[in-house]
Amino acid sequence: MIANTTYARLKEKLSEVVPDAELRYKAELADEILRLKEERNAVILAHNYMEPALFYSVPDFVGDSLELSRKAADCEQDVIVFCGVRFMAETAKILSPQKTVLLPAKKAGCSLAASITAEDVRQLKAQFPGVPVVTYVNTYADVKAECDICCTSSNAAAVVESLGTDTVIFLPDEYLAKNTAKETGKHIIFPTRRMPNQVDGSVDYQLIGWHGRCEVHEQFTVEDIENARRQFPDVLVLAHPECSPEVVEASDFSGSTTAMVKYVKEHKAERYLILTECAMGDNIAAENPDKEMLRMCSIRCPHMNEITLEDTRDALLYDRYVIEVPEDIRERAYRSVKRMIEISAKD
Ligand code: 13P
Ligand code: SF4
């Protein structure tokens, strides 16, 4: 009975996006997960990049990194199943240490989170004493513990501006740093370990960056946009701020994953090029059947794609994979994440 209901709901939403046989199979899996979720008193938080059948069936909340952090801080259930990548599940644990946080895939990494270590941050702080450190939420807990405040793609400029300083260390995404520098009017420098132990006094405003990149968004090019515009002159182009500044500049809009979802919903154009993980294009297409989403599905996030309905069921069945953050690191990381949430709440 429930299977029919879930199947019917998925069919209505996704018949143009997912083959029928897959929908039937996934609706059954989804029902099993919904039952287990009740039994375990669990909440499922899912990032906008989750594949359509998962995205539209089992989560209690979907959203971008900031929205999911807020939910992780507020939810009342005993267990949080995080359908996203490890740094997101870690952030949930940092905010809700008393809860069991489960990540359905053992690894589900992120090229940005892997690009920097806590020791790298300590060295930068020694190189630029007194300069506040902002780290993108796409980092692991020990890196967050070394910083003053975190940011996400939806609040990076606001976080930088909230510090009220001429100079900010902004880690680890080179492109987000460059896009944020442009938005805030700050210059950017990329230090090496050989740099003198001083900030150049001739520069009034600056971000000190790092060479991390998202392995997905760095692949989109201005040529991709030009090709789409040649073929579809009316297309509106949306790029995530992890794309290069050139790609962002050539686009019509840049924002967090949820900001992109809202943009399509609120605009009347018939066609959109979505420069981010392809599954999100599917999810937006399902929500906007009268609009066409152009998406480049050869470029995928292998980490987000590790999260499946099967693994989500197994996470609840076998209590895996439990996310732990050592308490001394968690306490320090908590301050940075909490500070970000407080600043964003004022928006
Ligand atoms: P959002 O915070 O915009 O959802 O971005 C998360 C992410 O990992 C994008 O690649
Ligand atoms: Fe990390 Fe990029 Fe994947 Fe987002 S899309 S999780 S930034 S690798």
Side-chain angles (χ1 to χ4, degrees):
M1 202 61 164
I2 304 170
N4 282 342
T5 313
T6 306
Y7 168 70
R9 205 155 41 91
L10 287 179
K11 182 81 183 159
E12 193 188 346
K13 190 68 104 184
L14 300 175
S15 59
E16 298 296 315
V17 182
V18 183
D20 186 65
E22 188 180 327
L23 281 185
R24 284 183 190 279
Y25 167 70
K26 289 189 170 172
E28 278 183 28
L29 269 174
D31 280 329
E32 211 181 329
I33 294 167
L34 293 170
R35 267 194 303 273
L36 287 165
K37 192 168 72 163
E38 285 279 303
E39 273 170 37
R40 299 285 320 268
N41 189 25
V43 63
I44 299 184
L45 307 182
H47 188 260
N48 289 325
Y49 287 165
M50 291 299 103
E51 60 99 356
L54 189 161
F55 184 84
Y56 282 111
S57 61
V58 294
D60 297 278
F61 301 103
V62 293
D64 64 15
S65 311
L66 181 63
E67 292 171 317
L68 295 177
S69 302
R70 286 202 184 106
K71 290 293 175 200
D74 290 348
C75 64
E76 281 165 4
Q77 289 83 347
D78 302 324
V79 178
I80 299 174
V81 180
F82 212 113
C83 292
V85 288
R86 177 166 290 267
F87 74 79
M88 295 179 173
E90 267 193 10
T91 306
K93 186 69 183 177
I94 288 165
L95 288 161
S96 286
Q98 72 289 2
K99 297 185 197 301
T100 301
V101 177
L102 301 174
L103 178 68
K106 196 168 188 179
K107 206 155 166 240
C110 168
S111 64
L112 281 169
S115 73
I116 191 158
T117 65
E119 180 54 24
D120 291 329
V121 186
R122 283 192 287 273
Q123 288 199 16
L124 279 168
K125 289 199 292 191
Q127 199 174 351
F128 301 101
V131 177
V133 182
V134 176
T135 63
Y136 195 22
V137 76
N138 297 34
T139 46
Y140 293 120
D142 57 343
V143 167
K144 289 184 174 81
E146 294 296 333
C147 80
D148 296 288
I149 185 166
C150 289
C151 75
T152 73
S153 62
S154 69
N155 61 17
V159 165
V160 165
E161 273 162 356
S162 77
L163 296 168
T165 56
D166 291 347
T167 310
V168 174
I169 299 174
F170 188 100
L171 310 168
D173 186 346
E174 173 188 337
Y175 287 159
L176 183 66
K178 285 179 172 167
N179 290 323
T180 306
K182 207 164 164 202
E183 213 180 325
T184 55
K186 290 181 187 277
H187 300 286
I188 184 161
I189 57 164
F190 289 94
T192 65
R193 296 212 169 100
R194 276 168 287 134
M195 258 190 89
N197 190 21
Q198 262 195 352
V199 177
D200 177 354
S202 65
V203 180
D204 290 336
Y205 295 96
Q206 52 189 323
L207 292 189
I208 298 159
W210 192 249
H211 295 287
R213 285 193 190 168
C214 163
E215 69 193 83
V216 179
H217 292 94
E218 72 170 346
Q219 293 187 60
F220 298 118
T221 64
V222 173
E223 205 186 343
D224 295 331
I225 298 176
E226 286 166 356
N227 287 340
R229 290 202 197 278
R230 238 189 319 276
Q231 213 181 339
F232 305 105
D234 62 341
V235 72
L236 287 180
V237 182
L238 286 68
H240 193 275
E242 290 167 9
C243 294
S244 74
E246 294 76 23
V247 165
V248 167
E249 179 73 28
S251 303
D252 298 291
F253 177 74
S254 178
S256 79
T257 54
T258 291
M260 292 164 106
V261 171
K262 284 191 184 141
Y263 184 93
V264 175
K265 195 172 172 197
E266 287 163 8
H267 283 72
K268 293 200 180 345
E270 275 174 30
R271 221 173 255 114
Y272 302 80
L273 173 63
I274 309 289
L275 296 180
T276 194
E277 158 60 37
C278 170
M280 198 176 93
D282 290 343
N283 295 336
I284 301 180
E287 205 63 61
N288 299 271
D290 53 330
K291 297 172 182 168
E292 189 184 349
M293 298 307 128
L294 309 179
R295 43 212 192 266
M296 297 172 59
C297 287
S298 54
I299 299 179
R300 307 300 306 260
C301 175
H303 314 291
M304 288 283 184
N305 278 287
E306 282 185 43
I307 309 296
T308 63
L309 279 165
E310 287 87 345
D311 289 339
T312 305
R313 174 201 55 200
D314 290 350
L316 283 162
L317 267 179
Y318 307 118
D319 237 351
R320 70 187 193 201
Y321 294 90
V322 178
I323 297 292
E324 302 288 3
V325 178
E327 188 55 19
D328 56 324
I329 290 178
R330 191 202 67 79
E331 274 175 14
R332 289 187 294 134
Y334 177 80
R335 283 197 289 270
S336 314
V337 178
K338 189 83 176 119
R339 195 171 166 199
M340 167 190 82
I341 290 178
E342 281 164 6
I343 278 175
S344 309
K346 289 182 202 148
D347 289 349

